[in-house]
Amino acid sequence: SHLNVGGGRQSSQMAFAPYDVVGIDPHKIDCIGSVRITGPKGPQRVAIERLWIVPVVDDYSRAILGYSVGIRTECSAGTIEHSIISAMSAWQPRTLKIPTMVYAPGAGLPSGRFPTLIGRAWAAMMVDNAAVHYSRAIAERARRRLGCAVNYGPVGHWEHRAALERVMRTLEAYGFQRLPSTMGSGPLDPSKDDPVRKAVGLGIDWEVLLDVIDVVIANYNTTPNEALGNRSPLSLLHDYVESGLLEFLPRRLPPPVATVAELGITIETKIVRGKLQEGRRPYIEIDRVRYTSSILSSCFGLLGKKL
């Protein structure tokens, strides 16, 4: 893979200013968490699978614009969609559960430091060829709502998203791989020492892991970056957004379409069930749970129809 770069050929520059190009790629963080559930003899801790983190990284400033976290075997299109929503929403620091864990001075996400960037979109979105990126939620809904281009890049060439890959390496080295329940950087990493047992025994709750993720990402944005001339991503964005020294025109979202749902909203069509002869009032079923209302429960004329 490394032979694909360093050949002395100048690659085409795609990003000329912040929010020109962003990279999105799900990454499974290298640590185990746990959840506390109520059992027959009191609460007990159960280990959970590793968390998926989906950062949105600006290719020009190297800033992490937003992120989302998912707990499941494979990353879903919904998790990626929430990362896009996070990048355009106002960031607020979390109420941290560990007193000794703090945000660095001036740390945060760009939308929390610069109100001008709230609700701003980008021109192009670079993703890899994972099946989830070809889903309708990403390839169609997100692309049309943001008014951006989607660049999948050639198969097997991670170097086209080098900025994003480097960011994730930094987050792992300075954050998740330092936890007691880390999976390590590889099978031979000596820091890997029964992470499931430590996650349960030490009570490393998944809410604490969410705090760690938010702090590590916020602190990364205010950390000097050698690729930026030893400036931080937020410092570079400040020159474009607030100083007026550089030309920068934040992109507004295109007008919403009445027939297309907003990002993060899923439209489901359900059949109204029920049976008057058995005294079963009308209802709809979503995820094996029945729902009704004071209006729907009286509308027997809707039985068998779609809502």
Side-chain angles (χ1 to χ4, degrees):
S1 298
H2 285 85
L3 291 177
N4 295 323
V5 297
R9 297 186 300 272
Q10 184 69 26
S11 59
S12 301
Q13 184 176 357
M14 297 181 62
F16 293 89
Y19 283 72
D20 276 356
V21 179
V22 302
I24 301 179
D25 190 20
H27 180 80
K28 185 177 285 188
I29 64 176
D30 297 332
C31 63
I32 299 291
S34 67
V35 293
R36 189 170 66 172
I37 61 176
T38 302
K41 298 296 184 180
Q44 65 184 46
R45 289 196 172 273
V46 178
I48 59 176
E49 296 188 24
R50 282 185 282 176
L51 303 178
W52 284 94
I53 177 174
V54 185
V56 180
V57 179
D58 179 50
D59 194 67
Y60 188 83
S61 67
R62 305 296 177 94
I64 300 178
L65 308 182
Y67 71 94
S68 64
V69 178
I71 306 176
R72 55 189 304 147
T73 304
E74 293 294 335
C75 186
S76 66
T79 305
I80 299 177
E81 198 172 16
H82 282 292
S83 70
I84 297 174
I85 297 173
S86 170
M88 297 187 296
S89 304
W91 174 83
Q92 294 289 339
R94 292 172 59 89
T95 302
L96 304 178
K97 297 182 179 299
I98 301 179
T100 55
M101 187 186 304
V102 294
Y103 292 95
L109 270 62
S111 59
R113 296 292 310 279
F114 310 112
T116 307
L117 299 179
I118 298 176
R120 304 303 184 180
W122 39 84
M125 182 166 59
M126 299 186 67
V127 296
D128 61 16
N129 288 270
V132 67
H133 293 143
Y134 287 95
S135 64
R136 185 175 181 273
I138 306 303
E140 290 296 327
R141 287 183 56 196
R143 177 180 61 84
R144 292 179 181 274
R145 187 65 188 96
L146 300 177
C148 69
V150 179
N151 187 324
Y152 289 95
V155 177
H157 287 271
W158 57 267
E159 69 274 5
H160 286 254
R161 302 174 306 279
L164 174 63
E165 299 292 345
R166 186 65 184 91
V167 166
M168 290 311 307
R169 179 70 186 94
T170 300
L171 296 182
E172 288 286 3
Y174 292 96
F176 314 126
Q177 291 178 2
R178 297 189 175 189
L179 297 175
S181 61
T182 178
M183 296 291 294
S185 59
L188 302 180
D189 193 335
S191 62
K192 179 181 178 180
D193 182 19
D194 200 352
V196 174
R197 179 181 59 82
K198 288 188 175 181
V200 175
L202 298 177
I204 301 179
D205 193 79
W206 77 285
E207 286 283 353
V208 175
L209 291 182
L210 295 182
D211 289 347
V212 173
I213 291 172
D214 199 66
V215 170
V216 170
I217 287 179
N219 290 349
Y220 165 83
N221 281 339
T222 193
T223 303
N225 191 313
E226 186 177 357
L228 304 178
N230 288 322
R231 303 177 61 193
S232 69
L234 290 179
S235 173
L236 180 64
L237 285 175
H238 177 273
D239 288 350
Y240 276 90
V241 176
E242 294 190 350
S243 68
L245 299 176
L246 301 170
E247 295 182 357
F248 177 56
L249 182 63
R251 295 172 176 82
R252 295 182 178 273
L253 290 177
V257 180
T259 57
V260 179
E262 277 285 7
L263 294 178
I265 297 178
T266 301
I267 298 178
E268 296 192 17
T269 302
K270 297 296 179 179
I271 298 178
V272 179
R273 305 294 186 182
K275 199 168 186 180
L276 179 60
Q277 293 81 357
E278 298 179 1
R280 191 178 304 156
R281 290 183 172 272
Y283 66 90
I284 61 173
E285 185 173 318
I286 300 177
D287 296 333
R288 299 175 62 185
V289 179
R290 295 180 179 182
Y291 296 89
T292 188
S293 67
S294 58
I295 298 178
L296 178 61
S297 62
S298 302
C299 297
F300 287 93
L302 293 179
L303 293 177
K305 295 184 179 181
K306 296 181 179 180
L307 292 181

